[in-house]
Amino acid sequence: MSRSLIVQKFGGSSVANPERIKRVAQRVVETRRQGRDVVVVVSALGDTTDELLELARQISQDPPERELDMLMATGEQVSVALLAMAIEELGEDAISFTGAQVGIRTDSSHTKAKLIDINARRIQQELAKGRVVIVAGFQGISVNQDITTLGRGGSDLTAVALAEALDADACEIYTDVEGVFTADPRIVPNAHKLKSISYDEMLEMASLGAQVMQARSIFVAKRFDVPIHVRSSFSSREGTMITKAAKAMEDIVVSGVTLQRDEAKVTIRDVPDKPGMAAQIFKELAAQDINVDMIVQNVSREGATDVSFTVVKHDLPATLRVARHAAARVGAGDVATDEGVAKLSIVGIGMRSHSGVAAKMFEAMARERINIEMISTSEIKISCVIRKAHAERAVRAIHQAFGLSRR
Ligand code: ASP
Ligand code: MG
């Protein structure tokens, strides 16, 4: 019978300093001494990636993306080497690799490269020699032999992809929280840790700002059915399993409440109410790579209507420029922005089979006298835009209304 193989990924906060690196080494060695093969993926120490980006910014406002990747990839090269030393120090054999060395091949879209394939042979050879294999997260090598990175938070993707390529028995993501919670515990003190959550729900929650794992990595995990265990690197408690929908979850309608405060609302006033206007406006925004989230168009009066939409704040200056231009082209009125909004969402696969979920969410807000400005829904999600000043109160009310408080 083949030996059991586990992939363990440690995020930047878990390896932020030498003490923590030693603690990670301890945990890896414990796993190894249970007789398992271990492949470890690590992120850069602490805030290294941000610091490297800041360094680049002091040199150039618009650095070549190839060079940004060259720079950012150094962060993970530091952490793998240090972790290998720490494991050797504890008496186990370990060897560190860059992404390129273990054949993590990507396309050449620098800073957000897509994985093409992984050549697992080198890793398997080293495992067969009884070594712990440590792989730099977040990086690969393009078909042109250039170093690439996989987008911020990309070490999660490295871990999931390696677990798939090596047919690992488990993929553990170690982080600085205990798992996936029903809401941000800083906002809802009685939020509780979920035992398990489905890929689809986690994908929504990750996209909605629950910063537990990179959204792309969940997407890949779902596609190849790689079960993930998200857990804390500071305790030995069980975390949250991310898997295909489990039976036990079926009576739970809502799994989590999320809050995003990084969106802004843009309103174009007096858009002529005739065919082609929305097409023109949103085509211009798309051409500038501006991602529009929620959209509402009000009922028209006297042949004109207001169109509102949300974008991430980061895109607001560009959005304003494009929206003003588009408004002028279609003969609309002025463009207003509003940064005082927040987006609150509930996520749960139970919504597929339960009715009245939206009503319950809206009622909870009505009781709190909170006005809803925009609404959007998908099969397993309902989002509302409200005033930011009321956002935390709304999250608590909704968390309570769906019975999510600690059981
Ligand atoms: N160090 C990279 C980042 O901060 C990758 C990662 O942490 O997963 O984005
Ligand atoms: Mg990081």
Side-chain angles (χ1 to χ4, degrees):
M1 211 193 92
S2 67
R3 297 161 58 93
S4 111
L5 168 69
I6 183 166
V7 173
Q8 298 186 318
K9 181 260 174 179
F10 295 88
S13 57
S14 307
V15 291
N17 56 47
E19 279 322 303
R20 290 189 183 178
I21 293 173
K22 288 180 189 172
R23 199 143 51 156
V24 165
Q26 195 71 51
R27 193 180 277 263
V28 170
V29 165
E30 275 164 28
T31 310
R32 175 78 195 119
R33 289 184 180 159
Q34 289 161 6
R36 309 178 80 175
D37 283 343
V38 192
V39 173
V40 186
V41 174
V42 259
S43 298
L45 274 58
D47 297 324
T48 302
T49 310
D50 289 326
E51 287 157 17
L52 291 170
L53 285 171
E54 172 56 24
L55 211 48
R57 213 190 51 80
Q58 288 178 29
I59 302 283
S60 161
Q61 283 304 308
D62 189 21
E65 293 197 318
R66 180 191 183 279
E67 305 309 330
L68 272 179
D69 275 353
M70 199 67 161
L71 180 71
M72 285 194 288
T74 62
E76 273 71 11
Q77 199 170 333
V78 170
S79 47
V80 288
L82 292 174
L83 183 58
M85 293 174 198
I87 292 172
E88 291 276 343
E89 198 65 24
L90 295 174
E92 291 293 325
D93 274 349
I95 183 167
S96 68
F97 290 113
T98 63
Q101 281 178 297
V102 292
I104 299 181
R105 288 203 313 150
T106 72
D107 66 12
S108 38
S109 42
H110 286 286
T111 75
K112 47 183 176 304
K114 295 232 155 39
L115 289 173
I116 295 175
D117 56 22
I118 297 180
N119 177 356
R121 212 174 50 226
R122 181 73 197 266
I123 296 179
Q124 276 151 351
Q125 283 167 357
E126 297 298 334
L127 289 173
K129 291 180 200 160
R131 291 176 167 157
V132 171
V133 173
I134 305 163
V135 179
F138 175 52
Q139 55 177 262
I141 186 158
S142 76
V143 283
N144 308 323
Q145 306 295 308
D146 289 319
I147 290 175
T148 52
T149 65
L150 309 175
R152 298 304 306 269
S155 299
D156 290 333
L157 183 57
T158 305
V160 170
L162 279 173
E164 157 63 15
L166 297 164
D167 198 16
D169 301 283
C171 180
E172 294 183 330
I173 303 288
Y174 286 90
T175 176
D176 51 6
V177 293
E178 297 262 332
V180 183
F181 280 72
T182 50
D184 184 341
R186 286 167 302 186
I187 299 175
V188 186
N190 61 6
H192 73 274
K193 184 178 69 192
L194 294 160
K195 277 203 169 59
S196 61
I197 188 169
S198 68
Y199 294 122
D200 287 330
E201 289 167 310
M202 195 61 229
L203 203 50
E204 288 282 11
M205 300 216 351
S207 317
L208 291 168
Q211 290 172 337
V212 184
M213 276 184 78
Q214 188 207 33
R216 261 177 76 195
S217 69
I218 312 283
F219 186 79
V220 171
K222 178 188 174 186
R223 176 136 158 226
F224 296 103
D225 200 7
V226 179
I228 293 169
H229 186 182
V230 182
R231 58 193 305 184
S232 166
S233 60
F234 305 108
S235 87
S236 54
R237 246 167 285 161
E238 297 271 304
T240 302
M241 287 302 303
I242 309 176
T243 57
K244 278 195 281 207
K247 274 211 184 63
M249 295 193 282
E250 276 176 2
D251 56 336
I252 299 170
V253 182
V254 169
S255 294
V257 186
T258 64
L259 180 62
Q260 272 170 301
R261 290 181 258 219
D262 63 341
E263 290 198 10
K265 185 165 105 176
V266 178
T267 300
I268 306 180
R269 297 221 175 86
D270 297 323
V271 178
D273 195 10
K274 58 185 191 206
M277 297 296 103
Q280 180 63 36
I281 293 167
F282 292 102
K283 194 173 74 193
E284 288 194 33
L285 289 164
Q288 298 303 314
D289 259 337
I290 293 166
N291 229 323
V292 172
D293 183 20
M294 287 159 101
I295 303 175
V296 290
Q297 177 173 324
N298 298 320
V299 281
S300 83
R301 36 171 169 67
E302 290 156 24
T305 175
D306 292 350
V307 174
S308 295
F309 55 91
T310 60
V311 293
V312 292
K313 266 192 200 140
H314 175 82
D315 285 340
L316 194 54
T319 304
L320 205 51
R321 216 168 37 240
V322 179
R324 286 202 174 115
H325 182 262
R329 288 225 355 197
V330 302
D334 60 351
V335 180
T337 62
D338 180 354
E339 296 190 56
V341 294
K343 182 167 108 177
L344 188 158
S345 309
I346 56 175
V347 173
I349 47 174
M351 286 183 209
R352 287 176 181 149
S353 50
H354 288 74
S355 56
V357 181
K360 194 166 182 173
M361 181 187 194
F362 302 158
E363 266 164 23
M365 283 193 273
R367 273 196 301 274
E368 294 287 319
R369 306 224 146 270
I370 294 170
N371 188 41
I372 302 170
E373 301 178 24
M374 299 167 108
I375 300 167
S376 79
T377 67
S378 78
E379 199 188 7
I380 63 164
K381 173 193 78 178
I382 302 170
S383 299
C384 295
V385 167
I386 60 174
R387 284 293 104 199
K388 193 182 287 177
H390 302 149
E392 298 201 351
R393 191 157 51 90
V395 170
R396 285 189 286 269
I398 289 166
H399 193 267
Q400 173 79 32
F402 284 98
L404 293 174
S405 301
R406 210 185 308 255
R407 280 167 277 210

